[in-house]
């Protein structure tokens, strides 16, 4: 027993050492260099410069607007999903997680295809009005950035707020109604106070997402929109390490504060919400005509925004907007092993993502085990380091890995191991979450049973706990894989040309207007991610897995 | 307050479960109990009266005005449900004041009214507690005060006490009855508990499989059940079925499984009738040859008494014997004799099963 305990504690130490070595230490180096020994601009110069102020203002502003838009688009959906009875409701709910696992750069391709110049809507308008010049484009620029952020986060609002609505005992609403409250009074006095916390939590996550968003701003902003994240990358490319580090510090302060606020809301939510009650639903047929029309308009908007870009990727893979012809050139290029071809990036993508998946699942498992530890502080500490990657932007992680590890170790000429490290770190919070969900569903009596039957700690872990956790481990794996294969921010920061992944070459194709090539590579990534999603759903269906 | 007429109200759920048609008259100021087993449609009926479920057919009149198309918040109803459903984001005071706040009463009036109600239901000292800081029984009192605050014309109570322990339940029953009589508010009280119904009701409506079987005062239903269901569910009685073999001006004779019994009244010879016999009207003797012969099926000890299950031919009966009797005399399989008080036997009018 004693030996098992020692083994367990040393196993528990591994993830801490790794996270400290590959995350805390590099970020600390960034901070120290930025503040104490800047090469290039100093912290004061950066903070004082009007450019920085404009960038900060824009970053915060676009994140706020993105949050508002995602909220406005998502909250009604939460009501539809909880209160309305319709066929395919569970499927709809499951599909809401799809955007989340799609690579941002692929979403950019989809957005351009639907909303961009020469895109589907533009083509229809041109055909209708008999015009031969492009007349519609909301994919690029400010609106495009906001909409792409909403693409990711409106579903988040839908899922989080509907989960909260489901916990509102329907009797409570009815008691308000029978005692005289009109619809608006019920909304104001009962429903909004109830879902407030979930809205706040979803808002913080959306703000964080938009605040740290990199590929979307880079690709849809077409170089004319700068967020802190984009500017860190620029500064680094132009060797102004002082500016890069200073911006990273500012960003870190803001994101850490928000991440902390998010954790706090989560705690409070668990305190105030009761059991899940069954919801009383309304049949679509029983709605009034104006409500039905409103519902149709709303679902159409959501459908075009959420499903449109995903489906449009298929068109983008075979239709060349430059020459207006259908072509398989994109796929030829994807299989081309040469300099400009997609084969090497494809192999890179699969290789890095597979390794990152294995590592993040192992780390996730170890973290979940140490979260169960009965030692004081360990569980809290574990939750903290687990969520750390959520509060540190991908660019900052990559930047830290570059200056703290790649440069001293001479890895900068071929830094592929660091790409794997970065992709692993980004996957860890999700794999911990997936495994944790499965673990919480295991009946503790089973484990006690194993213990009382005299199983050693090691035996118990390998023959009892791990098999029970298998579904969670699989979900964690596929989720991490989807996140890793689409990762672009950290990867582009670290990669040399021979390390390019599909996500990176999609971005490069887009910037030289090679749209079909970008489309074909995107289609490949979508297929990988959707396949991962379907497998996760299959595993979760039997009630053991789950991600959100 | 208000006279409620439920007229042919009927609802079919999408899965085919049908409730109704319900016909019921609730008189002004009366407390009527809707009594029925689980799943009989009590909650559905109440929710149709409240307006949460739209019936497929039928009418609902409040003092001869059809309120079918009046939304729930305009029906002047107060309601308490089993889950209590107090507003979690408000304290006790705010819960009670809710109906007044949404009606935009001036603040001083609200305060006065809430204090008056909290005195009525005995929770004056809890007004500023959070609802997570009060007990189940106190929660029910708050829910009652909330339901009464705006002076509703009709009070609907759906198993308000079923989550409470028996002692608390009994004292709250008495209080609800006192308050209801004091305010004279027309009340429909739903329960599946016969004792509760007897304790509180002016009249009881017995609901079974979505239909009202019988309406009457507790003693009406107890002494003169109309059918097998009311007799067994309410009086916990046993049913004997037999054929009328003779009839004269002193009464008639009914025979079952070769034994006969004399009863007062008139019945056509040859009729097949059903009798409801309550446990307390059966006397058991070990010896003699009075009454009917029966076999002991089982005997179970209960506080202060034994419950004896008997069989006469194919009919089952049950009765109680006092704990002072020697139970060894009534071992299973033992043949004994029973007499049934003929004045207390109810002849069921409706013999459809
Ligand atoms: N929304 C619904 N859809 C389908 N069937 C329903 C619905 N609501 C109730 N029922 C069915 O109608 C019947 C009556 O239900 P109701 O809730 O009115 O019973 P009840 O008498 O209140 O029972 P209980 O004592 O258990 O509360 C039940 O068979 C129930 O399953
Ligand atoms: Mg009920």
């Amino acid at each position: 027993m004693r030996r098992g305990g020692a083994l367990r504690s040393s196993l528990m130490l591994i993830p801490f050492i790794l996270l400290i070595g590959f995350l805390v230490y590099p970020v600390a180096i960034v901070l120290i260099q930025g503040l104490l020994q800047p090469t290039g601009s100093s912290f004061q110069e950066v903070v004082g410069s009007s450019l920085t102020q404009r960038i900060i203002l824009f970053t915060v502003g676009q994140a706020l607007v993105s949050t508002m838009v995602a909220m406005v688009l998502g909250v009604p959906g939460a009501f539809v999903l909880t209160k309305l009875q319709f066929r395919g409701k569970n499927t709809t709910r499951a599909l809401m997680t799809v955007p989340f696992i799609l690579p941002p750069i692929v979403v950019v391709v989809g957005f351009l295809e639907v909303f961009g110049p020469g895109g589907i809507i533009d083509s229809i308008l041109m055909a209708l009005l008999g015009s031969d010049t492009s007349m519609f484009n909301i994919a690029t620029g400010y609106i495009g950035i906001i909409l792409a952020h909403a693409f990711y986060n409106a579903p988040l609002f839908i899922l989080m707020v509907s989960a909260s609505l489901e916990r509102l005992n329907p009797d409570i609403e009815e008691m308000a109604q029978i005692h005289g409250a009109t619809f608006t009074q019920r909304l104001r006095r009962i429903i909004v106070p109830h879902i407030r916390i979930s809205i706040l939590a979803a808002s913080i996550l959306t703000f964080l997402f938009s605040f740290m968003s990199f590929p979307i701003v880079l690709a849809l902003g077409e170089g004319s929109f700068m967020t802190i994240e984009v500017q860190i990358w620029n500064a680094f490319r132009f060797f102004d390490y002082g500016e890069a580090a200073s911006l990273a510090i500012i960003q870190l302060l803001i994101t850490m504060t928000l991440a902390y606020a998010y954790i706090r809301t989560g705690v409070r939510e668990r305190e105030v919400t009761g059991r899940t009650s069954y919801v009383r639903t309304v049949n679509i047929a029983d709605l009034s005509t104006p409500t039905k029309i409103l519902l149709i308009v709303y679902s159409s908007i959501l459908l075009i925004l959420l499903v449109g870009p995903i489906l449009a990727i298929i068109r983008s893979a075979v239709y060349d907007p430059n020459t207006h012809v259908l072509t398989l050139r994109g796929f030829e290029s994807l299989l081309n092993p040469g300099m400009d071809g997609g084969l090497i990036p494809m192999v890179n993508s699969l290789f890095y993502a597979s390794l990152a998946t294995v590592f993040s699942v192992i780390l996730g498992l170890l973290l979940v085990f140490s979260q169960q530890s009965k030692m004081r502080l360990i569980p809290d500490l574990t939750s903290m380091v687990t969520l750390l990657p959520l509060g540190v932007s991908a660019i900052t992680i990559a930047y830290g890995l570059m200056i703290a590890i790649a440069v001293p170790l001479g890895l900068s000429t071929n830094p592929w191991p660091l790409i794997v490290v970065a992709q692993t770190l980004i996957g860890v919070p999700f794999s911990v979450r997936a495994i944790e969900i499965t673990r919480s569903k295991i009946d503790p009596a089973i484990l006690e049973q194993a213990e009382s039957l005299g199983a050693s700690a090691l035996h118990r872990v390998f023959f009892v706990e791990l098999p029970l956790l298998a579904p969670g481990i699989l979900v964690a794996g596929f989720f991490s894989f989807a996140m890793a294969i689409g990762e672009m921010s950290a990867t582009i920061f670290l990669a040399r040309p021979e390390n390019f992944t599909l996500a990176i070459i999609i971005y490069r194709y887009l910037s030289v207007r090679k749209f079909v090539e970008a489309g074909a590579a995107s289609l490949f990534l979508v297929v990988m991610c959707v396949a991962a999603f379907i497998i996760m759903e299959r595993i979760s269906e039997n009630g053991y897995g789950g991600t959100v | 307050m208000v006279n409620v007429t439920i007229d042919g109200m009927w609802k079919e759920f999408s899965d085919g479960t049908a409730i109704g048609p319900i016909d019921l008259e609730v008189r002004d100021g009366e407390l009527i109990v809707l009594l029925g087993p689980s799943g009989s449609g009590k909650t559905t009926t109440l929710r149709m009266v409240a307006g949460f479920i739209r019936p497929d057919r039928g009418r609902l009149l409040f003092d001869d005005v059809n309120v079918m198309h009046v939304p729930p918040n305009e029906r002047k109803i107060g309601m308490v449900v089993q889950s209590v459903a107090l507003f979690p984001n408000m304290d006790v005071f705010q819960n009670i004041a809710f109906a007044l706040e949404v009606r935009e009463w001036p603040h001083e009036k609200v305060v006065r009214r809430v204090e008056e109600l909290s005195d009525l239901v005995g929770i004056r000292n809890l007004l500023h507690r959070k609802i997570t800081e009060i007990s189940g029984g106190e929660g029910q009192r708050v829910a009652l005060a909330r339901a009464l605050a705006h002076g509703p014309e009709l009070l609907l109570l759906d198993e308000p006490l079923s989550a409470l322990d028996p002692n608390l339940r009994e004292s709250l029953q008495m209080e609800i009855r006192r308050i209801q009589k004091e305010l004279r508010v027309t009340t429909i009280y739903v329960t599946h508990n016969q004792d509760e119904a007897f304790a509180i009701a002016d009249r009881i409506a017995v609901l079974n499989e979505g239909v009202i079987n019988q309406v009457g005062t507790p003693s009406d239903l107890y002494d003169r059940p109309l059918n097998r269901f009311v007799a067994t569910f309410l009086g916990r009685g046993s049913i004997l079925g037999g054929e009328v073999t003779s009839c004269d001006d002193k009464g008639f004779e009914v025979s079952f499984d070769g034994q006969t019994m004399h009863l007062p009244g008139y019945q056509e010879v040859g009729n097949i009738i059903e009798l409801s016999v309550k446990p307390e009207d059966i006397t058991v003797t070990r010896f003699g040859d009075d009454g009917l012969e029966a076999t002991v099926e089982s005997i179970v000890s209960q506080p202060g008494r034994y419950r004896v299950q008997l069989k006469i031919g194919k009919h089952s009966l049950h009765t109680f014997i006092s704990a002072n009797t020697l139970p060894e005399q009534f071992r299973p399989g033992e043949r004994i004799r029973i007499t049934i008080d003929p004045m207390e036997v109810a002849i069921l009018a409706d013999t459809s099963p």
Side-chain angles (χ1 to χ4, degrees):
Chain A
M1 279 304 249
R2 279 186 56 93
R3 264 194 326 139
L7 180 89
R8 223 183 151 96
S9 7
S10 50
L11 274 179
M12 262 161 37
L13 275 182
I14 296 175
F16 286 101
I17 295 170
L18 290 177
L19 284 174
I20 288 171
F22 288 114
L23 182 64
V24 179
Y25 168 70
V27 172
I29 294 287
V30 170
L31 303 187
I32 291 166
Q33 281 202 352
L35 286 172
L36 302 182
Q37 30 181 257
T39 348
S41 327
S42 74
F43 187 73
Q44 286 81 353
E45 279 168 18
V46 175
V47 174
S49 98
S50 65
L51 176 70
T52 310
Q53 285 163 4
R54 245 184 302 129
I55 288 173
I56 294 177
L57 219 60
F58 174 75
T59 312
V60 171
Q62 63 83 25
L64 275 178
V65 176
S66 299
T67 307
M68 297 296 289
V69 171
M71 186 192 312
V72 168
L73 283 170
V75 172
F79 281 87
V80 172
L81 202 58
T82 24
K83 302 269 163 164
L84 216 59
Q85 190 55 51
F86 56 92
R87 284 181 49 179
K89 186 162 157 168
N90 287 334
T91 317
T92 312
R93 190 191 307 271
L95 287 176
M96 288 293 157
T97 41
V98 171
F100 203 63
I101 57 164
L102 287 183
I105 193 65
V106 166
V107 173
V108 165
V109 172
F111 257 68
L112 290 171
E113 191 62 31
V114 179
F115 304 112
I120 295 173
I121 296 180
D122 195 17
S123 308
I124 293 173
L125 281 180
M126 278 157 63
L128 282 181
L129 302 175
S131 153
D132 51 359
T133 51
S134 167
M135 52 203 304
F136 180 87
N137 170 23
I138 55 168
T140 58
Y142 197 71
I143 296 178
I145 293 172
I146 303 289
L147 285 180
H149 290 165
F151 170 88
Y152 276 98
N153 294 294
L156 187 74
F157 273 95
I158 295 181
L159 289 174
M160 289 181 73
V161 176
S162 75
S164 163
L165 274 175
E166 273 161 14
R167 282 194 297 263
L168 179 61
N169 179 354
D171 283 346
I172 288 178
E173 247 191 280
E174 285 186 357
M175 285 306 97
Q177 188 179 8
I178 198 80
H179 294 128
T182 59
F183 176 72
T184 30
Q185 284 172 327
R186 292 200 300 277
L187 204 62
R188 195 163 59 82
R189 290 167 183 265
I190 308 290
I191 300 173
V192 171
H194 178 81
I195 59 176
R196 212 177 41 203
I197 291 166
S198 67
I199 291 184
L200 181 67
S203 301
I204 295 176
L205 287 181
T206 305
F207 188 92
L208 269 174
F209 178 97
S210 316
F211 188 79
M212 297 196 283
S213 154
F214 180 73
I216 288 171
V217 177
L218 197 64
L220 290 182
E222 296 180 317
S224 38
F225 293 90
M226 291 291 189
T227 57
I228 298 178
E229 190 86 335
V230 174
Q231 185 59 18
I232 295 174
W233 185 55
N234 278 333
F236 183 78
R237 281 197 305 169
F238 297 111
F239 308 108
D240 190 343
Y241 300 137
E243 183 182 2
S246 306
L247 287 171
I249 292 169
I250 294 168
Q251 191 190 42
L252 207 61
L253 279 178
I254 297 176
T255 54
M256 281 311 200
T257 312
L258 287 170
Y260 178 73
Y262 172 72
I263 295 170
R264 290 303 303 266
T265 64
V267 172
R268 274 199 289 147
E269 173 154 46
R270 241 168 282 135
E271 280 168 4
V272 300
T273 52
R275 66 194 164 83
T276 310
S277 326
Y278 67 100
V279 181
R280 298 200 177 109
T281 51
V282 183
N283 221 301
I284 288 192
D286 297 336
L287 292 177
S288 65
T289 313
T291 320
K292 267 187 211 161
I293 293 172
L294 216 61
L295 183 68
I296 291 172
V297 171
Y298 172 73
S299 353
S300 313
I301 293 176
L302 225 54
L303 220 60
I304 293 172
L305 182 72
L306 297 183
V307 182
I310 301 176
L311 290 183
I313 288 166
I314 300 173
R315 180 179 186 252
S316 76
V318 292
Y319 176 75
D320 186 348
N322 298 331
T323 56
H324 303 290
V325 289
L326 288 175
T327 165
L328 288 177
R329 214 176 63 237
F331 294 101
E332 278 166 28
S333 151
L334 190 62
L335 296 174
N336 172 6
M339 270 302 288
D340 216 23
L343 194 64
I344 292 170
M346 186 154 98
V347 172
N348 282 343
S349 293
L350 292 169
F351 177 61
Y352 301 155
S354 305
L355 281 180
T357 301
V358 172
F359 293 142
S360 80
V361 169
I362 293 174
L363 272 179
L365 260 177
L366 293 173
L367 282 168
V368 168
F369 279 126
S370 57
Q371 224 157 37
Q372 289 166 261
S373 162
K374 292 182 185 69
M375 271 185 271
R376 256 163 35 86
L377 283 182
I378 296 285
D380 285 344
L381 211 63
T382 313
S383 323
M384 238 171 65
V385 290
T386 306
L387 287 166
L388 214 53
L390 282 184
V392 186
S393 77
I395 291 288
T396 305
I397 290 179
Y399 181 37
L401 288 172
M402 199 71 172
I403 59 167
I405 294 176
V407 177
L409 293 187
L411 274 175
S412 37
T413 48
N414 190 3
W416 73 264
L418 293 182
I419 296 178
V420 175
V421 170
Q423 293 184 355
T424 303
L425 289 176
I426 287 160
V428 163
F430 303 103
S431 81
V432 169
R433 179 101 185 97
I435 298 171
E436 178 62 44
I437 286 174
T438 306
R439 201 203 55 81
S440 66
K441 288 177 188 162
I442 295 178
D443 183 356
I446 296 177
L447 300 180
E448 282 160 19
Q449 187 76 19
E451 205 153 29
S452 69
L453 289 175
S456 71
L458 202 61
H459 197 91
R460 188 182 118 172
V461 167
F462 276 98
F463 294 100
V464 185
E465 289 198 65
L466 280 183
L468 286 174
L469 287 178
I473 294 172
L474 285 173
V475 170
F478 285 104
F479 208 98
S480 304
F481 182 79
M483 298 310 270
I485 202 166
E487 210 292 323
M488 173 176 141
S489 319
T491 310
I492 204 172
F493 198 104
L494 293 165
R496 311 282 303 170
E498 60 270 30
N499 309 128
F500 280 174
T501 60
L502 284 180
I504 297 175
I505 63 157
I506 294 170
Y507 170 62
R508 293 173 64 89
Y509 283 146
L510 283 182
S511 49
V512 294
R513 305 182 57 78
K514 285 188 163 182
F515 292 115
V516 266
E517 288 82 353
S522 298
L523 188 59
F524 178 80
L525 286 184
V526 169
V527 169
M528 298 303 284
C529 292
V530 169
F533 166 80
I534 291 170
I535 297 169
M536 286 193 289
E537 271 307 305
R538 277 286 147 81
I539 300 168
S540 305
E541 256 168 27
N542 56 31
Y544 281 111
T547 42
V548 187
Chain B
M1 287 279 179
V2 74
N3 199 76
V4 178
T5 310
I6 303 172
D7 177 16
M9 214 158 63
W10 189 81
K11 168 77 191 175
E12 183 173 348
F13 290 112
S14 50
D15 63 356
T17 317
I19 303 295
I22 308 272
D23 293 290
L24 184 65
E25 174 102 19
V26 190
R27 298 173 199 142
D28 191 345
E30 155 181 69
L31 191 160
I32 200 160
V33 166
L34 213 50
L35 175 67
S38 181
S40 56
K42 306 180 295 290
T43 299
T44 306
T45 306
L46 210 63
R47 287 165 50 77
M48 287 197 278
V49 174
F52 296 135
I53 298 179
R54 170 157 303 199
D56 301 328
R57 288 209 289 273
R59 293 189 310 158
L60 176 65
L61 310 180
F62 288 3
D63 282 341
D64 302 325
V65 180
N66 192 348
V67 295
M68 212 60 151
H69 296 284
V70 178
N73 50 323
E74 291 169 20
R75 287 191 184 187
K76 297 184 190 147
I77 289 175
M79 191 169 182
V80 178
V81 291
Q82 186 180 350
S83 73
V84 200
L86 293 175
F87 305 126
N89 53 322
M90 306 176 195
D91 65 12
V92 169
F93 181 96
Q94 291 167 317
N95 264 279
I96 301 175
F98 184 85
L100 312 175
E101 300 279 357
V102 298
R103 288 175 174 77
E104 293 173 353
W105 279 32
H107 185 67
E108 313 81 73
K109 270 184 82 183
V110 171
V111 173
R112 232 178 305 127
R113 179 75 178 144
V114 170
E115 285 174 351
E116 186 183 319
L117 279 158
S118 58
D119 285 338
L120 184 69
V121 302
I123 47 158
R124 184 68 180 260
N125 54 333
L126 303 178
L127 281 181
H128 295 288
R129 296 261 190 100
K130 284 191 199 160
I131 63 143
T132 46
E133 295 166 348
I134 57 177
S135 72
E138 290 162 350
Q140 294 296 359
R141 289 168 192 265
V142 176
L144 187 62
R146 173 179 70 180
L148 294 169
H150 56 299
E153 297 186 330
L154 173 64
L155 182 62
L156 304 177
L157 306 167
D158 189 358
E159 313 221 14
L161 306 180
S162 63
L164 306 177
D165 68 65
N167 290 335
L168 188 56
R169 194 186 309 161
E170 272 175 33
S171 67
L172 275 174
Q173 278 163 13
M174 290 304 103
E175 265 191 76
I176 291 178
R177 171 131 186 111
R178 169 184 65 80
I179 291 165
Q180 191 269 337
K181 287 295 158 237
E182 195 174 321
L183 302 176
R184 303 181 41 77
V185 53
T186 311
T187 302
I188 307 180
Y189 187 111
V190 161
T191 180
H192 63 261
N193 182 318
Q194 300 89 335
D195 299 334
E196 187 162 302
F198 273 67
I200 207 170
D202 291 323
R203 289 193 304 149
I204 297 176
V206 181
L207 198 62
N208 180 33
E209 292 181 347
V211 212
I212 290 180
N213 282 196
Q214 192 173 357
V215 186
T217 63
S219 60
D220 274 350
L221 299 188
Y222 195 72
D223 296 335
R224 283 178 296 281
L226 274 182
N227 65 15
R228 186 180 266 267
F229 176 79
V230 177
T232 50
F233 185 68
L234 215 84
R236 299 186 177 101
S238 312
I239 307 292
L240 290 174
E243 187 181 344
V244 180
T245 48
S246 70
C247 183
D248 55 32
D249 48 0
K250 284 199 220 82
F252 63 93
E253 200 168 65
V254 57
S255 105
F256 29 83
D257 305 319
Q259 308 200 54
T260 55
M261 191 178 149
H262 272 285
L263 291 170
Y266 173 83
Q267 287 285 330
E268 199 86 33
V269 174
N271 267 4
I272 306 291
I273 59 168
E274 282 189 329
L275 312 172
S276 157
V277 182
K278 297 190 290 289
E280 65 268 28
D281 301 328
I282 299 176
T283 321
V284 186
T285 52
R286 182 82 176 79
F287 310 102
D289 44 25
D290 275 359
L292 307 163
E293 189 184 69
T295 315
V296 177
E297 285 256 288
S298 65
I299 175 162
V300 178
S301 171
Q302 288 183 347
R305 61 184 188 179
Y306 294 95
R307 183 185 199 273
V308 186
Q309 188 73 39
L310 301 165
K311 199 121 197 177
I312 299 182
K314 58 185 192 315
H315 299 289
S316 289
L317 290 162
H318 73 267
T319 185
F320 298 101
I321 56 172
S322 106
N324 304 329
T325 324
L326 290 176
E328 303 80 60
Q329 297 185 338
F330 300 98
R331 273 196 301 272
E334 206 77 32
R335 299 191 143 270
I336 54 163
R337 301 208 65 93
I338 61 168
T339 47
I340 299 172
D341 183 348
M343 301 307 290
E344 295 296 332
V345 170
I347 296 146
L348 302 183
D350 176 7
T351 52
S352 57

